[in-house]
Amino acid sequence: MPRQPTASAPVPADDAFVARLLPWFDGHGRHDLPWQHPRSPYRVWLSEIMLQQTQVGTVIPYFLAFLRVFPTLPDLAAASNDAVMAQWAGLGYYARARNLHAAAQRCVEQHGGALPRDVEALNALPGIGRSTAAAILSQAWNDRFAILDGNVKRVLTRYHGIDGFPGLPKVEKALWALADAHVAHVPDARMADYTQAQMDLGATVCTRSRPACVICPLQADCVARREGRTDQLPTPKPTKTLPEREATALLLRDGHGRVLLQKRPDTGIWAQLWTLPQADTGSDLQDWFDTHVSGSLDDAEVLPVLEHTFSHYRLHLQVLVQRVDGLQRDDPTLRWVAAADLPSLGLPAPIRKLLDTGAPPARPKRRTMRGAPPSPESE
């Protein structure tokens, strides 16, 4: 059963931020998130990694599914890379999954199969930075550490009227100082609630656009509200146009209807995931095909261009479909995969969607690989 909100313990009157935030959380915060019951270190850690750059509503089903397969940290550490990536597929930002897996293995090797209750030891684990380590310690053990994720940055920036993009080192340093100052006034045994309260306020009230200031418990002392600058703070990140890039991929099937997948390298885009053989230019992909595959691409079908936006560029992927005779040589990075086995592998979301639909292209065109799209910008 979810824990029922309890009355706030007295808070020193000299910190209105803490004094108003905790009672608000008791009545209006989120108390039934799956990682709160039970609030174990492993579950808190998993939720914090999944919640990096991803909203709660998206994370919950992935979190529950992940725990069904890897209910404990040692289970995760013992799993194969493919098994971990398969459960993460679709959640994006796949470096998080690789770091999670590596950190679990290190915990087994160095910390007896559990997360260490030490900020420096947590910081030393792959994928865990200062704020994530603090979130784990404060929520799993009620230890007194301040966090500074995106929601908290927005709340503190508006409440204190801090100008400047929060991602700049100078601004971030000022925000950390404020966060640490507030934490000093949180009552004992309420750090988990206080940490969640800040995130909840930012996610549900002090939102990026159209914040609900009229119901905010901090409105009386909020500088941004008092000065009419809630739409100006936090200071936006300087914008830049995403570069456009092109690439060509092969959707190859054998006589049994299996699709040929290639394991991506350990670094770079879609690292360690299984995806379609791909190259930056059509000529490079033709050369790869001639070396690895028995068959011809002269009459390959051309699917509509698949577009996918990464954090630093937008990819236009031209996919060519062809049935082939087989492989010319063994290659550990290549695998023929039946449709029924696709869910067991980690595939990028757009590639999984393409394979799941299995729809033929509308009015398929024919082309030769030598007339492939022009080269994209170098990575």
Side-chain angles (χ1 to χ4, degrees):
M1 292 293 292
R3 179 186 63 81
Q4 295 300 314
T6 57
S8 296
V11 178
D14 57 350
D15 194 329
F17 184 89
V18 177
R20 294 192 174 106
L21 187 58
L22 281 172
W24 172 85
F25 173 74
D26 289 335
H28 303 283
R30 294 180 288 196
H31 301 273
D32 57 355
L33 297 173
W35 42 89
Q36 295 173 325
H37 310 285
R39 191 183 265 150
S40 69
Y42 174 60
R43 292 166 68 94
V44 169
W45 169 48
L46 176 59
S47 70
E48 286 298 318
I49 300 301
M50 286 188 166
L51 286 166
Q52 292 172 356
Q53 300 172 299
T54 309
Q55 295 182 344
V56 168
T58 300
V59 163
I60 287 176
Y62 280 92
F63 176 85
L64 295 173
F66 200 92
L67 280 179
R68 284 194 291 270
V69 181
F70 313 115
T72 69
L73 188 151
D75 291 326
L76 174 59
S80 68
N81 171 265
D82 283 341
V84 174
M85 300 308 286
Q87 293 303 312
W88 199 277
L91 197 56
Y93 299 98
Y94 294 98
R96 296 181 297 173
R98 296 192 295 272
N99 288 331
L100 187 80
H101 192 205
Q105 293 172 333
R106 191 173 299 179
C107 285
V108 169
E109 296 167 359
Q110 300 179 1
H111 303 292
L115 281 172
R117 187 177 176 177
D118 177 84
V119 67
E120 293 184 0
L122 282 173
N123 257 320
L125 294 175
I128 297 182
R130 178 179 176 180
S131 186
T132 301
I136 295 169
L137 290 165
S138 63
Q139 293 184 92
W141 289 291
N142 264 307
D143 290 347
R144 194 174 296 276
F145 286 94
I147 69 166
L148 197 64
D149 70 353
N151 282 319
V152 177
K153 285 182 178 180
R154 184 167 59 254
V155 170
L156 292 178
T157 297
R158 286 175 175 163
Y159 183 80
H160 291 282
I162 305 298
D163 289 297
F165 173 56
L168 296 175
K170 181 179 180 180
V171 179
E172 189 170 67
K173 182 179 180 180
L175 292 173
W176 270 117
L178 292 169
D180 286 334
H182 287 309
V183 158
H185 296 283
V186 178
D188 292 337
R190 296 228 57 191
M191 274 304 305
D193 289 344
Y194 175 72
T195 299
Q196 187 66 51
Q198 295 173 90
M199 295 187 288
D200 286 358
L201 189 76
T204 64
V205 177
C206 193
T207 51
R208 286 186 178 88
S209 60
R210 303 181 65 182
C213 297
V214 293
I215 62 171
C216 179
L218 307 178
Q219 60 176 288
D221 301 296
C222 178
V223 173
R225 176 169 172 77
R226 184 170 67 242
E227 297 179 355
R229 295 199 297 146
T230 55
D231 60 340
Q232 300 170 24
L233 296 176
T235 302
K237 181 180 181 179
T239 58
K240 63 177 182 179
T241 303
L242 282 178
E244 306 281 340
R245 300 185 56 187
E246 296 177 347
T248 307
L250 298 176
L251 202 172
L252 304 177
R253 297 187 187 277
D254 65 5
H256 303 286
R258 299 177 301 178
V259 64
L260 183 66
L261 296 180
Q262 185 172 38
K263 187 74 174 284
R264 296 284 294 180
D266 291 342
T267 59
I269 297 301
W270 291 336
Q272 298 182 348
L273 295 180
W274 289 90
T275 186
L276 303 179
Q278 176 181 323
D280 287 345
T281 68
S283 59
D284 287 344
L285 203 59
Q286 179 70 64
D287 291 340
W288 180 91
F289 181 89
D290 293 341
T291 302
H292 292 83
V293 182
S294 297
S296 171
L297 284 174
D298 288 343
D299 60 346
E301 294 184 354
V302 182
L303 295 182
V305 173
L306 187 157
E307 295 188 7
H308 186 72
T309 301
F310 295 97
S311 59
H312 54 294
Y313 70 86
R314 183 175 292 106
L315 175 66
H316 301 267
L317 187 64
Q318 180 70 78
V319 180
L320 307 181
V321 183
Q322 182 64 297
R323 175 161 293 187
V324 297
D325 300 327
L327 296 177
Q328 294 188 31
R329 63 182 185 181
D330 292 334
D331 186 329
T333 69
L334 297 174
R335 181 187 297 184
W336 290 106
V337 182
D341 297 327
L342 289 174
S344 66
L345 299 177
L347 279 74
I351 302 302
R352 181 177 294 278
K353 182 178 181 181
L354 174 67
L355 296 177
D356 285 347
T357 58
R363 296 183 181 179
K365 301 176 182 178
R366 307 283 178 175
R367 75 181 308 159
T368 63
M369 287 294 295
R370 299 301 178 187
S375 302
E377 302 171 15
S378 60
E379 191 159 345

